[in-house]
Amino acid sequence: MKQILCDIFNKLYKFIVEVSTNENLRNTYIVKANPLDKSRAFSRNRIWNFELLARAVMFSSKVTLDAGLVEFFTSTRMPPTSKEAFIKRRALVSPKFFRDTGHYLVSTARGSRLLKTWIGDKFLANIDGTRISLPYTKELYSKYRQRDDKGHNLARMTVITDSLNKIIISAGMVPNNTEERKAALSLLRDEPFPYPLDKTIFTMDRGYPSLYLMNWFHENTAGFIIRSRRDSNPQISQFMDSDEMEKIITIELSKNRRDIEYERPEPLKVRVVKLPPRPGQIEPVVIMTDLMDAGAYPTECIYDAYNKRWSVETIIGMEKNELQIELFSGNRECCILQDFYAAIIMFNMGMLTKIVADQKIADSNSRKKLKHGYQTDLNAEWVLIRELLLVLNRPRSKIAGFLTLIVNYCVRHTSVIRPGRHQPHIKRCIKTDGKYITIQ
């Protein structure tokens, strides 16, 4: 598995180099209106070439810019430059480069034998969203404005994750006043998606039921699994109060409802399953799906798939609290989006490495009689993943050796898995502009 992981990271670096050296490809990621200016942007032999700039942005995504640049200069043995020079050069690179680099990493991992699949060799994906605090600047206020007395701007982050492999498939950031279902649909329909839609089943929580959205998933993907609220449809309310545990119904748009402001959707036949109320709740859980084959997808599998949706909540928590995705190295929108996508690349590199390390931990502990299971300690791994970004330009044998070092370190430094354990959330101190205070 380590060789597969080495191949994935080696291909990732080759993608960065190909964009850096291919002028036509590189120009698609240069923020210049004039084609001649695009060609000149990285044509001269400067210290900050495209490849070094890309790695420096990803390397600095977890720390403040000053600390990240000093460490990057020292580790790569490149002559130090001013922070202003770095900021000026990074403004030439479109954030879409980091988005596409992250998509390339996920696509490469999907094409390997590293990732697990669900029933029928399908991928199981989750969709959810959260709010991100942004710096309070005039430029951002014109697009991401919230209330004036908040002292900061807000964006809506939409995340699509892999339920079984715990990686982020795709993510986007839009103004906070964007309706969450619109944001999710835009991320799937208007941007490249690293997984084949016809082999991906999507799970969503109660905020996403929409007839138009369900029709789109039914026509373009392998299926959907959505938890429904009582007030989402009269038929759902009747089904909740009935003694039936499973039923096929046809959902129609209510005359009094607009369906996320799109054209009127067609009626859709769905399968609804009822599950017992969760602890502390009175009403049963009702899940809608277009997976009609009860033989291939029994009720237990539908319930299990919906339960796996919780992984997207923990991933969002890790992004916001451990990787501190709200700590940006600049105040301009281009810098914020670069950091946003760079943090996702770093997260996925860590989670792919975790898959290999967890397998080795499981193999090592399989012959032992242990009370609890063990897994990789992610807090220790993030530091090593940052260091991995520095050796990506070295020969394959060096990358393989460093990956062996990371995996062996993770095997020695593990954390205990205690299912059902709950700890109170410790809220970090937040500045007036909404960014976390990080310890350097």
Side-chain angles (χ1 to χ4, degrees), residues 287-389:
I287 298 174
M288 296 186 295
T289 179
D290 63 342
L291 304 175
M292 297 296 188
D293 190 351
Y297 302 99
T299 303
E300 294 76 14
C301 290
I302 300 297
Y303 190 33
D304 179 63
Y306 177 74
N307 278 340
K308 285 183 169 60
R309 189 207 64 82
W310 187 252
S311 63
V312 70
E313 306 280 357
T314 59
I315 287 174
I316 289 175
M318 282 190 285
E319 281 283 359
K320 294 182 76 172
N321 298 301
E322 293 182 22
L323 284 180
Q324 300 184 20
I325 199 169
E326 292 171 300
L327 179 67
F328 303 108
S329 59
N331 291 333
R332 289 176 296 177
E333 186 180 24
C334 68
C335 299
I336 288 171
L337 289 173
Q338 286 176 0
D339 291 343
F340 175 80
Y341 291 118
I344 292 171
I345 294 172
M346 182 179 168
F347 176 85
N348 283 337
M349 290 178 69
M351 297 309 288
L352 291 173
T353 308
K354 183 179 183 296
I355 292 174
V356 178
D358 283 348
Q359 183 60 53
K360 189 168 183 179
I361 292 170
D363 294 341
S364 176
N365 294 341
S366 61
R367 296 178 296 273
K368 303 175 184 178
K369 295 182 179 180
L370 301 174
K371 182 179 179 181
H372 299 289
Y374 290 83
Q375 65 179 353
T376 302
D377 184 353
L378 285 173
N379 286 323
E381 189 187 30
W382 296 134
V383 179
L384 295 173
I385 293 301
R386 288 183 69 245
E387 296 298 321
L388 177 63
L389 291 168

Side-chain angles (χ1 to χ4, degrees), residues 20 23 26 36-51 88-89 92:
S20 178
E23 181 179 337
R26 185 179 67 234
L36 186 60
D37 291 339
K38 287 186 176 183
S39 301
R40 293 173 177 171
F42 287 93
S43 59
R44 293 172 56 191
N45 186 20
R46 295 174 181 264
I47 294 177
W48 284 118
N49 59 46
F50 194 97
E51 181 260 331
K88 185 177 180 180
R89 294 291 284 173
L92 299 174

